Each structure stands twice: as C-alpha cells, then as structure tokens.
Amino acid sequence: MIKVKNLTKKYQNSKALQDVSFEVAKGEVVGFLGPNGAGKTTTMRILTGFLPMTSGQATIDGLDVFKDSLKIREKIGYLPETTPLYPEMSILEFLNFIAELKKVPREKRQEDVSRSLDKCDLEDVKNKIIKTLSKGYRQRVGIAQALLGNPDVLILDEPTIGLDPKQIIQIRKLIKNLGREKTIILSTHILQEVSAVCDKVIIINEGKTVAIDTPENLTSKFSGGMIVNITVKGNAEQVKNCLSGLENIKEVNIKNQTEGKVQLEVKSKGKSDSREIIASAIVRNGWGLLEISQEKMGLEEIFVKLTGKNNE
Amino acid sequence: MNNIFAITKKELKTYFLSPIAYVVFTLFLLIAGFFFATYLINTQQATLRPTFYNLIITLLFFMPLITMKLFAEERKAGTLEMLMTKPVRDSEVVLGKFLAAFSFFFVMLASTLPYVLILTKYGNPDMGAIWTGYLGFLLLGAAFISIGLFASTLTENQIIAGVLGFSLILFLWVIGWLSGILGISSDSIFNYLSFATKIDDFFRGIIDFRSIIYYLSVTGFMLFVTIKSIEVRKWK
C-alpha cells in the first residue's frame, strides 16, 4: 500500500532523513517510533504532500506522492502534529468544511460527517465551539476530520500526545478499531503505544531507520540473553561463585546486600531459561531462596539500545 | 472551483465568528458617515468626490486589517498544514481567501450606497462620476487586498503582516511623489506605478482603460506572488 524507497530530505544544512526505506501492507497498523527530531514528522509531511523529498521515492497505492499529490490527498486522512484546528468554528462546521475540501459529494456529506462523528464519539458535542474543547476532544476532532471521505490510509502524527491516561486509552482503542479496516501509520515516542496498537514497528533515529519488525520479534531479537533476579539468604561471595560456575551462566552481579540477604542478577547465555538450575544449585547449598524472577527486556531497553541514547 | 468557494465561505464565516468583522464594519461606517455628513452639511453640494477621497485614505488603513490574518494566523496555528494536505491546490486556497476578503470589502462598500440615495433625493448629483468612482474603489480595493494577502504569507505574526501590508500599499500610493522630488516629468515610471494618480480619473467620471488594466495587473501579479510565496515552504 505504502512504499518508501531511499527517501532523503535535506534542510538547508542538516539532513532530516537519510535513505529511509520501508513498506506498509494494506490493513497494517505501523508505529513510527523515534526520539524527538528523528524525522517522523518529516516523513509524514512528505507522504501527505506537504513537503517534497530531496531524493528518493514514495508511493501510496501506486501513486507517486509528489507527482500525484492531489489524488493521494483524496485517499489519505492526515492528522498533523499538535492537531491544528480552527478555534472559532463548531465541530460540525469544521467537519463540513473539511468534507467539502475532501470532495465528498454534497448529498453524501451529511452522512459522512455523522459517520465520522459517531466513530469518534463526538455526536453529543458536535455543536460545541472548538476552542472550548478539552485536549482529548480536540484530538478526537482531529481524527474525525482525518476519517472524512473514507480514506484507505490514515497518517496520524503523535495522536496521543498531551492526553491524560484515560484519554490515551480511549484514543488507542479508537485507533485499534480503525485498524481493522484501514492502513494506519502513526508516530509516537511512547513505547507501550506501539505494543498496544501496532502490527509493525519502524524505529527511526537521526533520519535513519534502525529497525523494522513486529514488536514481539524485536523483543526476542534484542533481548540477548535472559536475566534472572534472585534474593538469597547466604554469603554473597559464596553464592556468586557458585552460580558463576553453573552451566549456561554468563554473568552474575551482586546488586544489593543486607543483613545476610543478597540480591543478585544472573545473566544466562542465549535464550536458555536457567531458573531451574539456579534454584536447585541454591537449594543444594542450603541457602534460603527468598525470591526468583525472570526479567524480560522491554521495548524501552531495545529502543534505548537502538537509538544509542544510553551512553553510560 | 468548488474548493475556491468552500474556502471563501469558510473565511467569510470566520470573519463573522470573530469580532474582526463587526469592529471593522462598524468603525468604517462611522468614519464614512462622518466624512459624508460633515462635507454635505458644510458645502451643501451633491457630490461624493470628497467623501471618496477620505474613504480611500481610511481604506489604506483598514484593508491590511482585513487581510493580515488570512495566512499569518494559519501559519501560526499550524492549520496551514491541515489545509494544504487536503486535495486543494495552493492557487485555490489563495483565490478562495482573496475572494473572501473581496466580498467583505464589497459589502463594506455597498453599505455606503445610502449616501447616493440621499444625494439623489435632495440634489442632482453627477451619477456617472459616482458609478465610475465605485468602479475605481472596487479595482483599487482588489489591488489592496492582493498586496495585504501577500504580506500575510510572509510571516506568522499578524501585526507584522498588517504593518507590512499597510507599508506596501502606502508606498505604492505615494510613489508618484518621487518624480516630483527627482524632478522627472510627470509621466515618469513612478507616476505610472502610483495608485493615487489613477484613482483621480475614476472619481471625476473618467474611465481610462490603462488604469483598469494597471489595477488588474497589480492584483493578478500580487496573487501570483502570493501563490509562489505559499509554495516556498517546498523549496527550503
């Protein structure tokens, strides 16, 4: 549905995007993940025809985003960053205006607008003036306008930014529902969001794609060995030496030591689960095993690893 | 075409949803009424010419106030991105906004028509000069609006857009003075470029096609530059 090949965008001196390539299949919900300034918004602006690329190619549904920009703009719904809306208008007036621009025929306009209001749960407030709305409602109006004209592709730039937790959950639910029938690209720097709604993640940093995969694959690919946390009653050095000698154990670190209790972090090689071996070794030595738990490397760590923000 | 009207309709609505329209309209009518009434009472002459001159000066100030928000506000609020990523051409947006400001101006001007009624009821004015005067107003107003619109694309600050628009209009108004200062003959390039020299003919009841073409070309040229100015974002 969306094909991006070697996309490069230069601003006067800086390169905002360098050779970004990815594909999005029909019906996929793709999360664009990256720190601020990574090039997410620039990519979206190029796809929506607001900015041209410096080089490279991008097509949506086989149409070139630069040459067939007007046609593409009919097929996509776009929510720009910070959800710009006309504050003086009422929700209904605003949506009618956008529907008109989206070339929804006059006789279908009312139906289209009410479908959109209904999807975003705005029916009850449709006559309210936009400037009086809360951030959560504004965001829904932003998504509602993107839905007008029933586009196949939705491009949402930071759809949940600045919302309270309850609103975030509502918007995510809405996006998930929309994802059943539409192809969606959304950008975010919130990692749970990606695991919550996306089929695929594109991690982008300093204008380059650093990873494209499903959230699950990313987690298993980058976790690089399992970590087991244990708390044991016994001598720290003895426990450490004993565990280090076990099969498949890469590293043992003492994290904390208090009154005969010791907390250790045990890293095993590969993806093997060493919990059983560790537990039996401790029991064999007569130490008291107080706690044992497996730590999974979350998307957070992977993200930090990939974007190299963690230089400690 | 539909897109142009959609934008015109929206802009006109926005004028009247905010206080701008009411403030500008009311004050314009007050000032116009003052000019008309004082002149009429003082001289008892059935002519609109002096009122027209005063109104032109008023418009010099007012027109940039009508146009300054049209692009500057959209840029500041980020709604330009919302607008430009819809299936509309840059030119349609510019023309739509131009037509909105022009319609607003047209209604403002039309609200001075009762003066004509008053004059015809109590006197015998030169109707030809009145209608050509109004024609001159429409042409000049279109040029003012296109300049103000252009100024509005240059900045996201409405005040700067307003001051810039006003300065450009004023400069084109007084540019004819340069020929006097430089001691060049009165049909120099500066006189040709001046707004002021041509409007005089219209108020006297003379229609000079060169003047009409001049005002229309200024408007056309400024609209073209405005469209290009919107496109500049693409080449940065």
Side-chain angles (χ1 to χ4, degrees), chain A residues 226-230 264-266 275 278 292-295:
Chain A
M226 200 173 276
I227 297 168
V228 179
N229 289 314
I230 54 174
L264 298 112
E265 184 190 66
V266 185
R275 278 177 294 180
I278 296 169
I292 182 161
S293 64
Q294 181 198 349
E295 187 182 285

Side-chain angles (χ1 to χ4, degrees), chain A residues 245-264:
Chain A
L246 292 173
E247 201 189 336
N248 265 338
I249 301 294
K250 199 163 79 180
E251 211 183 326
V252 181
N253 296 319
I254 299 169
K255 278 167 77 179
N256 209 348
Q257 219 172 336
T258 43
E259 302 165 29
K261 270 196 262 176
V262 58
Q263 274 182 9
L264 298 112

Side-chain angles (χ1 to χ4, degrees), chain B residues 8 21-22 28 33 51 56 73 88 111 113 129 142 162 167-168 171 181 195 207 223 231:
Chain B
T8 305
Y22 304 99
F28 176 78
T51 312
I56 281 280
E73 197 178 31
V88 286
S111 62
L113 286 174
S167 309
L168 280 170
F171 179 66
I181 294 163
F195 279 152
I207 296 179
L223 288 177
E231 279 174 8

Side-chain angles (χ1 to χ4, degrees), chain B residues 3-52:
Chain B
N3 283 333
I4 298 180
F5 289 131
I7 288 166
T8 305
K9 215 166 63 190
K10 178 244 154 197
E11 290 298 341
L12 274 176
K13 211 185 256 171
T14 326
Y15 273 133
F16 287 95
L17 285 173
S18 70
I20 309 173
Y22 304 99
V23 173
V24 170
F25 222 98
T26 313
L27 292 178
F28 176 78
L29 278 183
L30 266 175
I31 294 170
F34 177 79
F35 288 143
F36 176 69
T38 46
Y39 185 80
L40 197 65
I41 292 163
N42 271 337
T43 64
Q44 310 275 325
Q45 278 178 23
T47 171
L48 273 183
R49 227 176 109 201
T51 312
F52 277 167

Side-chain angles (χ1 to χ4, degrees), chain B residues 82-100:
Chain B
M82 173 80 75
L83 193 60
M84 292 309 191
T85 49
K86 300 289 172 286
V88 286
R89 291 186 174 81
D90 293 4
S91 54
E92 291 173 326
V93 173
V94 170
L95 284 179
K97 284 176 184 278
F98 170 80
L99 281 181

